[in-house]
Amino acid sequence: MFNIFKTNNLVGLDIGSSSVKVVQLKRTGEQLSLINLALEEIPLEVQEEADADVKNDLVADIVKKMFKEHNIHTKDVVTSLPGDDAIVRYVKLPFMSDEELKNVISYEAEQYIPLAIDQVVLDFDRLGEIEEDGQKKLEILLVAAKEEIVDRHLDLLKRAGLNPMVIDVDSFALSNAFERNYGHLEGETISLVHMGAKLTTINILEEGVSHLTRDIQVAGNNFTREIQREFGVSLAEADELKRLQGKVLTETEDIMQIEVPTKEDQSARVGESLNSLLNKLIAEIRRSFSYYESSIRKKTVTRIVLSGGSAQLKNMDKYLAEKLNVPVELNDPFKVLQISEKLFDLDFIHANAHRFNVSVGLALRGGADNP
Ligand SMILES: Nc1ncnc2c1ncn2[C@@H]1O[C@H](COP(=O)(O)OP(=O)(O)OP(=O)(O)O)[C@@H](O)[C@H]1O
Ligand SMILES: [Mg+2]
């Protein structure tokens, strides 16, 4: 069948709070290949800009420059709203037709969305049908975002000269990237844990369907600030210390003697300074898992799949596995893509792979995954 409107090399654009990631994929038959890739850190002074409109314009300029410098000529992009800009709810409603659902959805949504419903952009998806208390019900995914926030996001894209084909939510893009690598993993309950700069996003999936999405306000920025305090250095220096020498202390890790200061001691001191934040993070993850097990699906998480820049902190995977007693692995979104050694710096890709899960997931959503 011809589908003249569908370009099969859409661009996934992930505008994070600390960096912008762009991925362009191309489908040739069954094979997906990488045709463009860019990552740009957002300068600290832009991240800290208090005026939302000024900040929006500055980030738009960064995006525009990235497209220009990387010769990305496609204007059609798939982007996402970060978790804290979107409200995602899983609700059960009495069984009804699609037509009826369309008519009642905003009325129903009012009960679940803590925002004035007339100032909200609302979307929904049917997840499935269930039997509960002898009644047939619909499981619905509701997504809402403040109109003002969606408008600001659209303004940013317009200023950058781009055309949004789809505006997704980070956590759904992450499920796409996961599914592409792992498939549905029958019988398993998977928790995606994506650790960025501002947020850690948790997503719990069974057979490709997400049943819980939650954001935890502990991520890379908190780690950096803690290191800054501990070492009395600037934020930029603390970030560098974290990336180059930071590690999470695990129970199996030998704690070094601090008699003769070595590089290894410094690394252990970074690790120690992160302890209380990590405890907080673990407590929140546990809370989500127990809520899932007791109230949502009565299933235990069988595997954790990690991603995001802060998942690259040394030992993070081992630490989570140890504390939560669940196998943990990092999801490399490039694993199944064909990547030309001539065109791309494989060392760079390898070192930053886990930061690209959202952008790869978005590019897949954009059509590259649907021949
Ligand atoms: N090798 C590394 N070790 C430790 N931390 C790292 C490493 N690489 C990146 N980070 C941290 O990861 C964070 C950036 O990751 P990422 O690009 O996924 O965030 P983001 O998308 O901008 O954030 P968010 O989605 O929360 O808005 C920063 O806090 C950075 O310090
Ligand atoms: Mg992010």
Side-chain angles (χ1 to χ4, degrees), residues 111-125:
Q111 302 173 48
Y112 301 98
I113 309 287
L115 297 169
I117 214 78
D118 55 344
Q119 290 160 29
V120 145
V121 180
L122 189 69
D123 202 356
F124 68 95
D125 200 6

Side-chain angles (χ1 to χ4, degrees), residues 14-19 21 82 170 194-197 199 308 355 358:
D14 170 17
I15 305 171
S17 61
S18 77
S19 63
K21 279 82 68 183
D170 277 6
H194 182 79
M195 310 172 77
L199 295 176
R355 302 178 71 181
V358 170

Side-chain angles (χ1 to χ4, degrees), residues 21-25 31-39 177-178 180-182 312 330-340 344-361 363-364:
K21 279 82 68 183
V22 185
V23 162
Q24 187 171 23
L25 304 179
Q31 187 60 55
L32 274 177
S33 39
L34 184 67
I35 54 173
N36 237 314
L37 174 90
L39 182 149
F178 163 77
R180 176 80 204 171
N181 272 355
Y182 289 80
Q312 298 180 160
L330 279 147
N331 187 15
D332 175 353
F334 298 111
K335 201 166 74 184
V336 290
L337 303 178
Q338 197 152 51
I339 303 176
S340 154
F344 297 100
D345 174 353
L346 295 187
D347 289 339
F348 170 83
I349 292 185
H350 185 67
N352 291 285
H354 309 102
R355 302 178 71 181
F356 284 93
N357 272 278
V358 170
S359 49
V360 169
L364 293 171

Side-chain angles (χ1 to χ4, degrees), residues 276-335:
S276 73
L277 278 171
L278 288 165
N279 281 334
K280 198 169 148 196
L281 181 68
I282 291 288
E284 289 298 320
I285 298 177
R286 275 203 190 110
R287 223 157 66 92
S288 294
F289 287 8
S290 336
Y291 177 61
Y292 190 81
E293 285 169 28
S294 62
S295 310
I296 304 189
R297 301 276 298 177
K298 317 227 179 304
K299 294 246 177 85
T300 312
V301 170
T302 52
R303 199 193 298 223
I304 293 174
V305 175
L306 264 187
S307 56
S310 298
Q312 298 180 160
L313 190 58
K314 201 171 158 213
N315 285 348
M316 186 63 91
D317 50 346
K318 284 193 202 112
Y319 176 81
L320 292 181
E322 206 172 86
K323 293 281 175 192
L324 297 164
N325 209 13
V326 178
V328 177
E329 50 208 76
L330 279 147
N331 187 15
D332 175 353
F334 298 111
K335 201 166 74 184

Side-chain angles (χ1 to χ4, degrees), residues 60-79:
D61 292 344
I62 294 174
V63 174
K64 195 171 180 176
K65 197 162 147 247
M66 285 171 84
F67 274 65
K68 194 163 173 228
E69 282 177 357
H70 286 83
N71 291 314
I72 307 174
H73 303 296
T74 312
K75 301 288 178 211
D76 295 342
V77 295
V78 180
T79 67

